[in-house]
Amino acid sequence: MSDGSQIDYNGLIPNNVGLAEDLRVRKALETWHPGYVDWWKRMGPEGFQNSPVYLRTAVGVGSEGWAKFDFVRMPDYRWGVLLAPAIEGRTIPFGAHKGEPAWQEVPGEYRAMLRRLLVIQGDTEPASVEQQRHLGATAPSLYDLRNLFQVNVEEGRHLWAMVYLLQKYFGRDGREEAEELLKRRSGDEDSPRMLGAFNERTPDWLSFFMFTFFTDRDGKMQLASLAQSGFDPLSRTCRFMLTEEAHHMFVGETGVQRVIQRTAEAMKAAGIDDPYDIARVRALGVIDLPTIQKKANLHFSLTLDLFGNEISTNAANAFNAGLKGRYQEDKLTDDHQLTSSTYPLLRLRDGAIVHEDVPALSALNMRLRDDYVKDAAVGVGRWNRVLAQAGISFRITLPHVAFNRSIGEFAAVHADTQGRILPADQWEADRETMLPTSGDSQFIASLMQPVRERGSYASWIAPPRVGVDNRPGDFEYVKIEA
Ligand code: BYC
């Protein structure tokens, strides 16, 4: 395998894994390519496929200057296979094989487990593109339209990343899984995507920003855990994916921030102090803060389901095997084997939510989820700074982890956003104060009118502070063609 320092752009598939010399894998990927492009044209962004978009493309894998920006028509985007540089002498960082040389080939006894992890990760990538495919029609600006497409093409590349690993290391099984990844469809009754949140709709741009803030952040946490993997090709793959993922969360965090900023400015200008004076706020053509809170409640709770069950032997096995580590495993200072330690969990016991110490190995999903909640809270804090600076008393908060859950122990109860367990009928009665109602969705939908003049923005969102790649405010990020 190449050492990864050079990207080869000569063939059909840009790569730094030596595809030119790896005939078997090159052929498998070139055979898969037309089906992928067909999927992109059918299930990728609706419209705009002929429009040049100002996109970044990876031209290196180092931390400095890895991307170049240029106008590209999306179907011509150079989706490639890019791994972070190999680390000389790397060893397995955790689990039963800790300290042994990192695997360059799939360890036979862990083949099924590894394949499952790759397939689940791979499945989320095209799913998100499918979920977002209608949004181009209602983009609030050319800047946002371009950011949507950037996220989409990179999620497409992340699918390539997993497909490469499947085809390179799993032979015929891998090729079959790669085909299946192009066949499942987000929200399809017969052949849905694998994880719940990836079958939900992303009906409007506030949902898109919330999704990229909350759900892409699950991507960050899961990729960060897989980047620790003792299976070195997976580690290198995920390390490079993380550099791209950062932009997706930037889009989400600044997207919601700009919505909040615009609402705050409009409230101030109209002399409205009460954030719950919803009719008056909405009459200004901005989204009221309680509705933004409800959207956050929805996307946060849907995303928590992606971390799996409180107690998981799957997670324990993957850790023991050295395949999936913890967030920032390399910065932690314990024994990295966890065979005799415990972790404090929130559990449901006799109908009440209690803390309980459980074996650390079985609690790895929740440890990652706790790290996720902390990471998300930092971004929410930045949203709240906008409100504080505007002198508005409202604050966005993260709901309790037991709220609105479908996976894990809390799926059995009806907890409110504070974590109080309510009778089912009371929860239903309170629902409209916690989650978006159809009325809220209709109001948001009414605001979703496209804005396509250079440098202009919809009424409900503030312009960004700086342009992409330092471009000026009136830059034409997407040259819209019929
Ligand atoms: N939906 O032992 P458990 C991203 C199943 S996002 C449906 O707790 P485990 C992105 C589970 O499969 C990151 N089923 O499971 C973001 C298991 O079934 P089996 C994606 C679920 O394995 C935005 C059973 O319940 N990457 O990249 O410990 C845009 C027992 O559960 C769900 C990954 O997730 C669910 N939510 O934990 C684009 C990383 N949860 O096998 C991209 C890879 C659990 O017993 N995946 N089940 O039949 C994993 O690490 C783990 O599989 C999971 C689940 C964390 C997902």
Side-chain angles (χ1 to χ4, degrees), residues 113-180:
M113 206 191 297
L114 187 55
R115 178 176 131 185
R116 179 176 168 279
L117 287 172
L118 298 182
V119 170
I120 294 180
Q121 180 62 50
D123 192 67
T124 62
E125 315 290 1
S128 68
V129 176
E130 292 165 0
Q131 288 172 296
Q132 295 161 14
R133 66 186 301 258
H134 304 292
L135 292 172
T138 54
S141 70
L142 291 180
Y143 166 87
D144 291 290
L145 186 62
R146 175 267 166 207
N147 279 349
L148 167 71
F149 294 154
Q150 183 71 57
V151 169
N152 291 161
V153 293
E154 287 177 355
E155 299 299 7
R157 205 203 68 72
H158 289 181
L159 171 61
W160 274 89
M162 290 302 128
V163 163
Y164 166 72
L165 294 174
L166 286 166
Q167 294 193 334
K168 166 100 181 155
Y169 297 99
F170 291 84
R172 178 201 285 252
D173 296 359
R175 288 196 295 280
E176 282 170 12
E177 294 285 13
E179 290 303 323
E180 293 301 315

Side-chain angles (χ1 to χ4, degrees), residues 49-78:
Q49 298 272 357
N50 290 320
S51 303
V53 184
Y54 193 65
L55 293 176
R56 74 175 181 187
T57 307
V59 289
V61 289
S63 50
E64 305 264 318
W66 58 271
K68 83 169 165 48
F69 290 81
D70 209 347
F71 283 97
V72 183
R73 291 183 170 81
M74 283 184 280
D76 301 333
Y77 190 77
R78 301 295 308 276

Side-chain angles (χ1 to χ4, degrees), residues 16-31:
N16 68 341
V17 294
L19 277 188
E21 295 88 48
D22 192 347
L23 196 61
R24 182 186 67 80
V25 177
R26 176 154 56 96
K27 220 177 127 215
L29 285 170
E30 285 178 358
T31 307

Side-chain angles (χ1 to χ4, degrees), residues 125-361:
E125 315 290 1
S128 68
V129 176
E130 292 165 0
Q131 288 172 296
Q132 295 161 14
R133 66 186 301 258
H134 304 292
L135 292 172
T138 54
S141 70
L142 291 180
Y143 166 87
D144 291 290
L145 186 62
R146 175 267 166 207
N147 279 349
L148 167 71
F149 294 154
Q150 183 71 57
V151 169
N152 291 161
V153 293
E154 287 177 355
E155 299 299 7
R157 205 203 68 72
H158 289 181
L159 171 61
W160 274 89
M162 290 302 128
V163 163
Y164 166 72
L165 294 174
L166 286 166
Q167 294 193 334
K168 166 100 181 155
Y169 297 99
F170 291 84
R172 178 201 285 252
D173 296 359
R175 288 196 295 280
E176 282 170 12
E177 294 285 13
E179 290 303 323
E180 293 301 315
L181 284 166
L182 293 178
K183 285 191 190 143
R184 287 185 287 273
R185 293 281 181 272
S186 175
D188 190 290
E189 263 185 33
D190 300 324
S191 181
R193 292 294 175 183
M194 296 173 85
L195 300 176
F198 292 90
N199 289 302
E200 298 285 331
R201 292 178 61 238
T202 309
D204 57 66
W205 276 77
L206 184 54
S207 298
F208 170 66
F209 293 135
M210 289 290 180
F211 183 96
T212 40
F213 180 81
F214 285 112
T215 308
D216 279 74
R217 190 176 307 275
D218 170 47
K220 165 183 162 180
M221 304 309 286
Q222 300 287 353
L223 291 173
S225 310
L226 295 171
Q228 303 283 343
S229 184
F231 179 54
D232 205 42
L234 176 59
S235 167
R236 292 176 56 198
T237 297
C238 292
R239 268 162 45 215
F240 187 67
M241 289 165 80
L242 281 166
T243 59
E244 294 165 314
E245 200 67 34
H247 172 255
H248 306 182
M249 277 172 300
F250 164 86
V251 168
E253 182 178 321
T254 55
V256 176
Q257 193 171 318
R258 289 161 54 215
V259 176
I260 291 174
Q261 186 187 327
R262 186 66 202 100
T263 300
E265 286 165 0
M267 285 172 65
K268 285 274 128 185
I272 303 174
D273 291 326
D274 178 7
Y276 292 94
D277 198 347
I278 290 174
R280 277 180 74 208
V281 174
R282 288 186 177 182
L284 304 172
V286 296
I287 304 175
D288 54 285
L289 298 170
T291 297
I292 296 173
Q293 175 69 62
K294 287 194 258 179
K295 282 277 199 184
N297 292 346
L298 175 66
H299 286 269
F300 180 69
S301 56
L302 286 173
T303 304
L304 291 189
D305 281 342
L306 296 173
F307 289 87
N309 288 287
E310 281 77 4
I311 300 290
S312 168
T313 40
N314 282 342
N317 291 341
F319 183 86
N320 250 334
L323 297 182
K324 183 179 173 192
R326 291 170 292 176
Y327 183 57
Q328 299 188 326
E329 183 78 45
D330 47 359
K331 300 209 176 83
L332 301 174
T333 54
D334 56 22
D335 70 357
H336 302 279
Q337 290 182 316
L338 305 181
T339 43
S340 54
S341 47
T342 60
Y343 188 79
L345 266 198
L346 271 190
R347 301 202 69 179
L348 192 63
R349 281 279 174 256
D350 302 325
I353 298 172
V354 295
H355 280 276
E356 189 175 294
D357 283 334
V358 300
L361 271 177

